[in-house]
Amino acid sequence: MNMSRHLFSVFILSFLWLAVAGEDVLDLSNNDLDGFKAEVAKYDTVLIEFFAPWCGHCKRLAPEYAKAATALLANDPPVPLAKVDCTSDNGKEICSTFGVSGYPTLKIFKGGEFASEYNGPREADGIVKYMRSQVGPASKAYTSFSSLNDKLKAAKEVFVVGIFNKESDALATKFHKNADRMRESINFGHIYSSSASDDISALSVLSASKVSAPAVVLVRPSTLSNKFEESSVVWDESGSLENWINSNYHGLVGHRTQSNMQDFKPPLVVVYYDVDYVKNPKGTNYWRNRVLKVAQNYPKIKFAIANSNQFAGEMEEFGLEPDRSGREAAPVVAARDAEGKKYIQKEKFSIENLEAFVKDFTSGKLQPYLKSEEIPEDNSGPVKVAVGKNFDELVTKSEKDVLVEFYAPWCGHCKKLAPTFEDLGKALKDESGVEIVKMDATANDVPSTFEVHGFPTIYWYPKGTKVPEKYNGGRELDDFISFIAKHATDELTGYTRDGKKKKEEL
C-alpha cells in the first residue's frame, strides 16, 4: 500500500513537472476548428506545432519548444508558441484542414491566417532567433539613448546598432537594407539623434567606443565580455557591411551551438566542455578566457567553445568522449584544417598545451587523426577491403582505375548488393588495370573528396584524372561490367569497350 502511494506521488510530481515545463506553450487541441481560428486570430504572429503524443521526434522537440516558448513571451513584441494534438477529437479536423501529414509539423500563422511553413532550427535558441525575425520591422526603433542602453545591457546575444542623425542619412539606408537581408540571424536596433529625447552620452555601454552619429556598432553581450577584445566594434565603412558583421559576430572565440555551427568554417579549433551560459556563465568563461589568451595570437584561425554533451556525436568523429565528471571537468580540444583533416590535442588541457597544439596545427606539424579499422591480415579476395589506414594505397594513390563502394553494415540495399559486388570482383580479377574496393563508411573516415550521404554510395576513380565520379548506373553485374569496360583508362583484356566478353584465342 505504501509502495502504491509512493508510485502515485511520483506520477503526480512527474505530471506536474511536465505541465510546468511546457506551461508557456498554448494548447489549442480542445478547440473545434472555429474556436481554433478565433484563438489564433488573437495574435499577430504565432508558431503552431502539430504533433502526435506517440511521435518520437515530437517528444525530442517538446523540451526545446517549451524553452523557446518561455523566451519568446519575453520578446518585444511577444511571440506565442502553440500546439495541437492531431490525435485528439478536435485536433484531427484542425490538422486535416491545414494539410498536416507528418509529425511534428510546424506552421507560422499571421493575423489568424496560415502564413508559411516553419523551416527553421528545432532547438530552443534557433527557434527563438528564427521567430524573432518573423515579427515587426527588421530593426527595432528606439526613441531614447537610455532605453537603447538598457536593451544593450540586458542583451543575451550580439546586437547591431545603427546610430544616425536622421532617417535620410546615407548610412541609415545601407543599414536598413542589410537588416532586412539578415533579420533571421542578427538582432538589429537603431536610433535617430535628431528625434531622440536625450543625449548620446546616455549610451554608457558604448562609452569606450567613442561613438558619434552616424555609425554602425556591433555590441557583444556582457556574458562574453573579456579583456582580450572590445565588447563593441565600430564599422569603418570599408567593404561590405554584411561581411563585416559576419566576420566580427563571434569575436576571437565564439560560442558554437547547433543553430550557428555553419558560421564556423575551418581552419577551426573547437574546445569542448560543459559550456552553459544560462546556469553557469562564470564557469563557462573560466575556460573560455584561457582559450582567448591563445586565440588572440592566431587571427587566421577560427576558435570556438562548444557544449560537450550537445556535440557528443561530433566529438566521436575525433575519437573523443565528453568528460562527464561535472563542471570542473577539463576541456578537450579538436581541430579541422581547410582540407577537412582532423586533429586532436592529446595532452591535458592547459594554456601552454593549447598554445603548443595550435602552433603545431598552423605549421602543419601534427599527424591527422584518422578513424580506421585495422587493415585486414588477408586482403587477397576479389573485392579489396579499404579502411582509413589503407584507403590511399588502395584508392587515391593506386595506379589502377578503382570502383569503390561505401557501405554500412546495417544497410539493407548494401546487403542486397554484396553478392553482386563479389561477382564483379571475380569477373575482373584478372584485369591488371582495375580494382574493385569496398569500405565500411561507419567505421572509417571517408576522405572529403568523396561525398557520402547515403548507402551504398559508389564512386569510379580513374587513375589518370584522379577525380572521383559518382556511379549512378544500374546495379546488376552486367551494368557494372559495361560501365567499367567503357570508362576504363586502358581497354580491358577480357571485355570489349561495349562490355561484351572477348572470345578466347585458341
Side-chain angles (χ1 to χ4, degrees):
M1 185 70 177
N2 288 338
M3 179 60 73
S4 299
R5 191 179 297 120
H6 171 73
L7 290 173
F8 179 75
S9 299
V10 169
F11 171 79
I12 292 297
L13 287 171
S14 300
F15 176 81
L16 290 173
W17 182 87
L18 288 170
V20 170
E23 65 183 1
D24 290 327
V25 178
L26 302 172
D27 192 346
L28 305 180
S29 306
N30 293 325
N31 295 280
D32 59 19
L33 184 58
D34 290 337
F36 169 83
K37 291 179 178 178
E39 196 67 29
V40 173
K42 295 178 182 179
Y43 309 104
D44 291 333
T45 301
V46 57
L47 175 64
I48 302 178
E49 176 203 5
F50 298 91
F51 74 100
W54 45 259
C55 160
H57 293 295
C58 304
K59 292 174 183 176
R60 283 190 288 274
L61 174 63
E64 297 297 317
Y65 198 68
K67 282 192 284 186
T70 301
L72 285 166
L73 282 183
N75 190 63
D76 184 15
V79 184
L81 267 57
K83 63 182 179 181
V84 173
D85 179 355
C86 293
T87 67
S88 66
D89 291 339
N90 289 322
K92 290 176 183 176
E93 182 183 8
I94 296 170
C95 295
S96 174
T97 300
F98 291 99
V100 176
S101 58
Y103 310 115
T105 293
L106 288 87
K107 296 175 182 283
I108 299 171
F109 287 73
K110 295 191 175 186
E113 300 291 331
F114 167 72
S116 65
E117 301 291 340
Y118 173 87
N119 295 312
R122 296 292 176 100
E123 43 80 36
D125 290 343
I127 295 170
V128 170
K129 186 171 283 189
Y130 189 95
M131 290 309 299
R132 278 177 180 164
S133 72
Q134 301 296 313
V135 296
S139 176
K140 179 174 172 55
Y142 290 85
T143 56
S144 74
F145 285 99
S146 58
S147 62
L148 176 57
N149 196 62
D150 290 341
K151 172 63 180 179
L152 294 178
K153 286 169 68 175
K156 303 296 184 186
E157 297 177 351
V158 169
F159 207 86
V160 178
V161 182
I163 303 170
F164 312 111
N165 292 307
K166 52 187 183 298
E167 193 171 350
S168 59
D169 284 358
L171 187 57
T173 302
K174 185 177 291 187
F175 172 85
H176 287 298
K177 283 183 179 178
N178 279 274
D180 281 335
R181 189 161 55 247
M182 303 177 75
R183 63 183 295 161
E184 288 191 5
S185 56
I186 309 291
N187 293 316
F188 291 91
H190 64 276
I191 188 169
Y192 303 113
S193 58
S194 59
S195 57
S197 60
D198 55 3
D199 189 80
I200 196 171
S201 60
L203 205 54
S204 61
V205 170
L206 304 185
S207 58
S209 302
K210 297 179 181 178
V211 178
S212 60
V216 177
V217 190
L218 182 145
V219 187
R220 301 188 182 102
S222 59
T223 52
L224 298 181
S225 178
N226 63 84
K227 66 180 181 180
F228 301 99
E229 60 186 342
E230 296 293 340
S231 292
S232 55
V233 191
V234 182
W235 186 39
D236 62 6
E237 297 187 46
S238 64
S240 157
L241 175 56
E242 182 174 353
N243 289 343
W244 176 80
I245 292 172
N246 288 333
S247 62
N248 285 278
Y249 189 92
H250 295 291
L252 286 174
V253 178
H255 176 199
R256 188 163 169 262
T257 65
Q258 293 290 338
S259 62
N260 70 12
M261 57 190 293
Q262 70 279 354
D263 294 350
F264 296 86
K265 309 294 184 190
L268 171 67
V269 175
V270 182
V271 180
Y272 301 93
Y273 61 100
D274 186 23
V275 175
D276 191 338
Y277 275 107
V278 176
K279 296 178 181 178
N280 189 25
K282 187 176 179 180
T284 297
N285 280 333
Y286 173 83
W287 293 114
R288 181 174 182 263
N289 286 336
R290 281 149 179 77
V291 181
L292 280 159
K293 191 168 184 178
V294 175
Q296 65 178 330
N297 301 321
Y298 298 90
K300 293 183 179 180
I301 303 291
K302 269 194 175 293
F303 287 79
I305 57 172
N307 184 283
S308 54
N309 289 320
Q310 292 177 5
F311 284 91
E314 180 176 276
M315 290 175 65
E316 189 178 335
E317 293 180 22
F318 290 86
L320 298 171
E321 291 185 1
D323 188 334
R324 305 185 189 279
S325 59
R327 288 178 178 171
E328 303 305 317
V332 293
V333 182
R336 195 183 288 270
D337 66 17
E339 297 177 353
K341 293 178 181 176
K342 301 179 291 188
Y343 305 84
I344 57 173
Q345 179 180 313
K346 297 177 182 177
E347 297 77 18
K348 186 174 181 180
F349 184 90
S350 70
I351 294 174
E352 295 75 21
N353 286 339
L354 178 62
E355 179 82 46
F357 172 75
V358 177
K359 185 177 180 180
D360 288 345
F361 171 63
T362 55
S363 60
K365 292 182 179 179
L366 295 177
Q367 193 70 23
Y369 168 78
L370 190 65
K371 180 181 177 183
S372 177
E373 296 176 295
E374 291 303 316
I375 298 174
E377 290 185 12
D378 181 6
N379 206 5
S380 59
V383 178
K384 299 295 182 287
V385 177
V387 297
K389 294 177 181 178
N390 70 351
F391 190 86
D392 283 345
E393 177 190 343
L394 283 177
V395 182
T396 57
K397 294 181 180 178
S398 172
E399 295 182 357
K400 300 180 180 183
D401 297 333
V402 181
L403 187 73
V404 54
E405 175 206 2
F406 298 97
Y407 72 94
W410 43 259
C411 161
H413 293 294
C414 304
K415 292 176 182 177
K416 183 179 179 182
L417 176 63
T420 303
F421 220 63
E422 193 75 11
D423 289 342
L424 176 64
K426 292 175 182 176
L428 301 181
K429 64 182 175 60
D430 295 326
E431 299 291 343
S432 60
V434 176
E435 197 82 272
I436 308 302
V437 178
K438 64 181 179 180
M439 179 178 183
D440 179 354
T442 67
N444 301 277
D445 274 341
V446 176
S448 57
T449 49
F450 297 84
E451 291 188 9
V452 177
H453 300 298
F455 303 111
T457 295
I458 303 171
Y459 277 95
W460 173 248
Y461 199 73
K463 67 178 181 181
T465 62
K466 289 300 177 186
V467 176
E469 175 191 340
K470 198 165 187 179
Y471 175 81
N472 292 311
R475 293 185 179 177
E476 298 298 329
L477 179 60
D478 290 344
D479 297 322
F480 286 120
I481 290 176
S482 295
F483 176 89
I484 293 172
K486 180 180 179 181
H487 293 89
T489 303
D490 303 313
E491 184 174 340
L492 300 181
T493 58
Y495 296 86
T496 61
R497 281 293 184 186
D498 59 4
K500 291 189 171 70
K501 198 170 179 62
K502 292 180 179 179
K503 294 179 180 178
E504 296 183 7
E505 295 184 4
L506 298 174

